[in-house]
Amino acid sequence: MNTADATMGEDGANGRNQHHHDGGGDEHGHDHPGHHHHDIHDLGIAIVTVSSSRGLDEDAAGDAIAEAVTHAGHTVTVRELINDDADTVQNIVNRLVNRGDTDCVVTTGGTGVTPDDVTVEATEPLFDKRLPGFGELFRSLSREEIGTRVVGTRATAGIADGVPVFCLPGSESAARLGVESIVVEEAPHLAGLARREEAEE
């Protein structure tokens, strides 16, 4: 397993970022002034590439995610490339959501229908809450590029231990689309809401 960490911070859920909140508040999630009171505007984002056939030096999808994340003003806290093994994927994602410096996890790869596409099966048991709208929106956006082949894309997302986890396909274009069009737009809000009570203690 190849790993590469960048801007490493202290591990542990108690040290997780609880900063960069602003505005007024609403506990029902409706869009009006103050709706984004709990947003985390400087996210620490962990990137996990799931692939047995490439290394970090040829990880175009991971590169696209990192570029989109930093361009949006967020920080890549960890970047890892792991084999497409269900136990490995689950263990890595579970470790990352409990890091003190990580507010969001984005995976790329392993969301298709081949026997070794196991990211969905590995991550969904970790979700306390699922976000079905992510996969629905991603497939809707992807249809313009790949047409009806979207039916074979099992992109998914959920909240694991207070941290949004987004699972994207392994292609560079899909990874870029998902992060630029959805993740950087919604992760600050989702991360803030998912840890609202923790932040208010």
Side-chain angles (χ1 to χ4, degrees):
M1 177 172 66
N2 297 321
T3 62
D5 287 17
T7 321
M8 300 289 283
E10 293 297 321
D11 288 355
N14 292 335
R16 183 175 292 143
N17 294 331
Q18 298 178 21
H19 57 287
H20 302 290
H21 302 273
D22 66 4
D26 164 39
E27 61 186 53
H28 301 294
H30 297 163
D31 195 15
H32 60 73
H35 172 54
H36 296 278
H37 169 63
H38 299 281
D39 289 13
I40 301 175
H41 296 292
D42 181 9
L43 292 173
I45 298 181
I47 301 170
V48 180
T49 299
V50 182
S51 175
S52 298
S53 61
R54 51 185 152 149
L56 281 172
D57 58 347
E58 51 188 3
D59 178 20
D63 291 341
I65 294 171
E67 180 181 336
V69 163
T70 55
H71 182 73
H74 304 300
T75 302
V76 177
T77 55
V78 183
R79 185 166 170 186
E80 303 204 18
L81 190 148
I82 60 176
N83 292 329
D84 41 16
D85 169 77
D87 288 341
T88 301
V89 174
Q90 187 172 90
N91 289 338
I92 290 292
V93 172
N94 188 50
R95 175 172 64 81
L96 292 174
V97 299
N98 284 287
R99 280 180 61 104
D101 60 354
T102 298
D103 303 296
C104 175
V105 176
V106 181
T107 74
T108 175
T111 63
V113 297
T114 65
D116 58 354
D117 286 326
V118 295
T119 299
V120 175
E121 288 75 15
T123 55
E124 286 191 336
L126 300 174
F127 295 165
D128 302 308
K129 297 180 185 296
R130 298 191 180 194
L131 300 172
F134 173 76
E136 293 164 5
L137 178 56
F138 177 78
R139 282 180 282 276
S140 176
L141 295 172
S142 298
R143 186 179 178 187
E144 296 180 14
E145 179 180 344
I146 65 173
T148 56
R149 282 186 295 155
V150 296
V151 299
T153 298
R154 300 184 302 136
T156 189
I159 306 297
D161 199 20
V163 173
V165 178
F166 301 93
C167 301
L168 290 164
S171 74
E172 177 182 0
S173 59
R176 189 181 302 280
L177 173 67
V179 175
E180 290 183 348
S181 299
I182 309 175
V183 174
V184 297
E185 296 292 328
E186 296 302 326
H189 186 54
L190 292 169
L193 287 176
R195 294 205 304 275
R196 184 174 59 189
E197 293 182 3
E198 173 185 320
E200 291 177 346
E201 288 179 354

